[in-house]
Amino acid sequence: MKDFGSETFLRFDNVKKSYDQKNLVVKGFDMDVKEGEFITLLGPSGSGKTTVLMMLAGFESVTSGDIAISGKSINSTAPNKRNIGMVFQNYALFPHMTVAENLAYPLSVRKMPKAQIKERVAQYLELVELSAFGDRRPGQLSGGQKQRVALARAMIFQPSLILMDEPLGALDKNLREQMQFEITRLHKQIGFTVIYVTHDQTEALSMSDRIAVFNDGVVQQCAPPSELYERPVNAFVADFIGENNFVAGQVTNLTDGVAQVKTDAGTITARAAEGLTDGAACRVSIRPEKLFIHPTDHAHDNALTVTFNTRIYVGDFIRYYFKMPDGTDIIVKVLNDLSAPNFDDGAQAQLLSLTNDCTAFP
Ligand SMILES: Nc1ncnc2c1ncn2[C@@H]1O[C@H](COP(=O)(O)OP(=O)(O)O)[C@@H](O)[C@H]1O
Ligand SMILES: [Mg+2]
């Protein structure tokens, strides 16, 4: 982790939003952001991510609560006085202007002298590797190039905060990955603070310093990518981030945050999530890459005895589908090397896991 110091740059304090004075679509959002952090709001469609961004930009009012930058409330600051750069999925470039004119626009609005504008535009065209494209109109550019122009236009007046709402949603997979890399590079190089919205967890995991996982207007967990992945606080996060198996069982012992869970495929020990009680029904999450396949020749601890169903070749990995006694699937991901085992149809196997990789949720 980078060290961002202790100063809070941007603060959301119990921010709520209702569009109809009845239902809250953002239900008390709290977050402290440090200068230079790359924060992602991640969640399913309709969970309130764009609404948070719009309130921060000033295009939507805050129903209650407070948003502050450098300690000063911006609730009643006009959008154009907030000094925030923005990038959207649909580029929002001016079609009748050239690329260079699009970049010059935010500067001339801010009354920068002409000669200085020219210099700054050239500098930012170079930054996004579009120096040869200054005279083209947006209609003469590819999707990726348009998005680089939009990015340059958001950065060119050197705001301390840049908001991006699903900026890569319109691009195909290869271009999206390239642009993710590009945005990360510019963020590192220039050091602005980013609030980035996406519903794509891979994008969130690979780009962010911290991710706030939204569901239904509530932040479920806000943490660095590895913590979200390894230590989800609830079943929603465990399910939403990455892939997970959920094994049903019952807690037979709960000591020092470690639960013994009896399932119909065997007993496993797991880290107990918040709210778990002894004797209660629970679900244990185990990632497909954290299960290890063993033969049934002798009994292991922390093992589930399952039946082989099918094996799917996906190139770098092989995905194994086993059946639990109750018929539910349990998936194991194995690196495609010489250790990837073969099974006859209906063969039995043991799936081993470490306590640290299993979490029992109420
Ligand atoms: N301008 C609006 N007027 C009324 N309801 C809205 C408006 N914008 C969004 N909503 C509603 O608020 C909820 C959250 O939407 P949004 O913030 O766009 O979610 P997300 O960006 O996570 O998909 C949704 O139920 C959506 O229908
Ligand atoms: Mg949205």
Side-chain angles (χ1 to χ4, degrees), residues 184-231:
T184 313
R185 173 182 72 87
L186 291 166
H187 169 250
K188 278 207 189 96
Q189 189 174 338
I190 302 175
F192 45 79
T193 308
V194 182
I195 311 291
Y196 191 97
V197 164
T198 183
H199 63 270
D200 179 338
Q201 43 136 333
T202 316
E203 195 164 293
L205 289 172
S206 62
M207 297 175 81
S208 320
D209 293 310
R210 281 190 297 152
I211 302 170
V213 181
F214 271 70
N215 189 33
D216 197 20
V218 178
V219 173
Q220 306 291 312
Q221 186 171 4
C222 181
S226 60
E227 193 177 324
L228 276 186
Y229 192 83
E230 315 275 344
R231 296 281 177 265

Side-chain angles (χ1 to χ4, degrees), residues 295-358:
T296 47
D297 52 357
H298 72 273
H300 289 277
D301 285 343
N302 237 29
L304 299 167
T305 304
V306 294
T307 310
F308 174 71
N309 184 19
T310 186
R311 182 185 132 116
I312 295 178
Y313 180 86
V314 283
D316 49 352
F317 281 92
I318 295 178
R319 290 169 68 82
Y320 292 81
Y321 288 74
F322 293 95
K323 289 264 180 229
M324 295 283 290
D326 67 1
T328 55
D329 282 331
I330 183 160
I331 298 168
V332 184
K333 243 170 104 175
V334 178
L335 210 54
N336 181 12
D337 61 17
L338 294 173
S339 71
N342 277 306
F343 290 98
D344 293 329
D345 263 0
Q348 294 229 304
Q350 290 188 89
L351 305 182
L352 272 55
S353 55
L354 299 170
T355 303
N356 208 26
D357 294 328
C358 304

